[in-house]
Amino acid sequence: DAGVTQSPTHLIKTRGQHVTLRCSPISGHKSVSWYQQVLGQGPQFIFQYYEKEERGRGNFPDRFSARQFPNYSSELNVNALLLGDSALYLCASSWGQWAQETQYFGPGTRLLVL
Amino acid sequence: SQQGEEDPQALSIQEGENATMNCSYKTSINNLQWYRQNSGRGLVHLILIRSNEREKHSGRLRVTLDTSKKSSSLLITASRAADTASYFCATVPSGTASKLTFGTGTRLQVTL
């Protein structure tokens, strides 16, 4: 079975631009969560979606938005990029809606903002 | 903000030795999870321990949980070079069912 997949693997953008990151969960998983991991730190929660509805939001500005599609895949959008948005963006999926369940992570998208 | 803190921040041992990492967290929890991350890649789930459990084993891994002290430890026995990675504890703080909160991580280096 395929694991969680994310695209692209790497991305370079300049300040002020917009970026869209994509995630496909494990087949049968209905929950997708997004995390930002800055170098040297642990992942920070951005969003959780379950059954196409937002179920949780972390302390991130409104420049960050996400959505989940009927096939449970998800997109994370970041507008007006700042240098501080440079990070590894991780997507995780699980079967149910609770974060207390085991989360299955994708390989991440490494974003560099110049 | 980080819910937990791992201790030590970095650990270097030789192959065959045991590695112990500790995690402290701030709020009451339902369970605590440990994850491994190799070289800035995706995280891999290692083990989950529920709040009513005190100890759990999985292969060479042993996890303990002390809810009164709000702390957990991860022991890797007979370490191998392939265990070189960063290890994170993660919890869901009370009142936030959807938010998995990670600690700061322990970087483990296992040398031959």
Side-chain angles (χ1 to χ4, degrees):
Chain A
D1 287 341
V4 177
T5 59
Q6 292 186 243
S7 64
T9 56
H10 295 81
L11 203 52
I12 299 175
K13 293 285 189 178
T14 57
R15 283 177 295 175
Q17 286 189 313
H18 163 271
V19 68
T20 297
L21 309 181
R22 295 177 175 84
C23 171
S24 292
I26 290 173
S27 178
H29 285 191
K30 300 180 179 181
S31 171
V32 170
S33 298
W34 287 94
Y35 293 83
Q36 180 196 64
Q37 186 178 23
V38 175
L39 192 64
Q41 297 185 16
Q44 297 267 4
F45 173 77
I46 308 176
F47 286 110
Q48 190 221 6
Y49 277 78
Y50 178 75
E51 289 281 18
K52 302 179 289 296
E53 291 188 1
E54 182 183 302
R55 295 302 181 98
R57 174 186 286 255
N59 293 326
F60 281 82
D62 292 343
R63 300 184 296 106
F64 288 77
S65 64
R67 56 180 176 169
Q68 186 177 34
F69 299 99
N71 66 353
Y72 302 109
S73 67
S74 178
E75 283 183 354
L76 175 70
N77 295 283
V78 186
N79 293 323
L81 285 167
L82 303 175
L83 296 180
D85 295 331
S86 295
L88 179 68
Y89 288 85
L90 295 162
C91 170
S93 76
S94 62
W95 186 86
Q97 62 181 312
W98 308 115
Q100 294 160 13
E101 300 177 21
T102 297
Q103 303 291 309
Y104 295 85
F105 282 82
T109 293
R110 189 165 296 280
L111 172 65
L112 178 61
V113 182
L114 301 176
Chain B
S1 62
Q2 305 284 167
Q3 151 78 327
E5 291 187 3
E6 280 87 343
D7 170 55
Q9 289 188 341
L11 181 60
S12 182
I13 59 174
Q14 291 190 321
E15 204 171 46
E17 295 180 335
N18 295 340
T20 300
M21 297 158 240
N22 303 295
C23 165
S24 60
Y25 56 91
K26 300 175 183 175
T27 66
S28 60
I29 59 173
N30 288 331
N31 67 46
L32 184 143
Q33 303 175 40
W34 285 90
Y35 288 83
R36 184 185 73 201
Q37 185 178 39
N38 290 80
S39 301
R41 299 179 60 83
L43 282 79
V44 174
H45 179 263
L46 295 176
I47 196 166
L48 181 153
I49 185 167
R50 303 190 189 284
S51 59
N52 61 353
E53 297 176 310
R54 292 295 168 260
E55 186 170 312
K56 199 164 183 179
H57 297 252
S58 177
R60 294 184 296 112
L61 306 179
R62 181 173 78 96
V63 169
T64 62
L65 179 64
D66 187 336
T67 53
S68 66
K69 296 181 179 179
K70 293 187 170 57
S71 66
S72 174
S73 68
L74 171 67
L75 168 67
I76 304 174
T77 60
S79 62
R80 306 165 182 168
D83 295 328
T84 295
S86 291
Y87 292 81
F88 295 90
C89 65
T91 61
V92 178
S94 297
T96 59
S98 62
K99 177 181 177 181
L100 191 62
T101 305
F102 287 84
T104 52
T106 292
R107 293 187 305 280
L108 174 65
Q109 176 75 43
V110 182
T111 57
L112 297 172

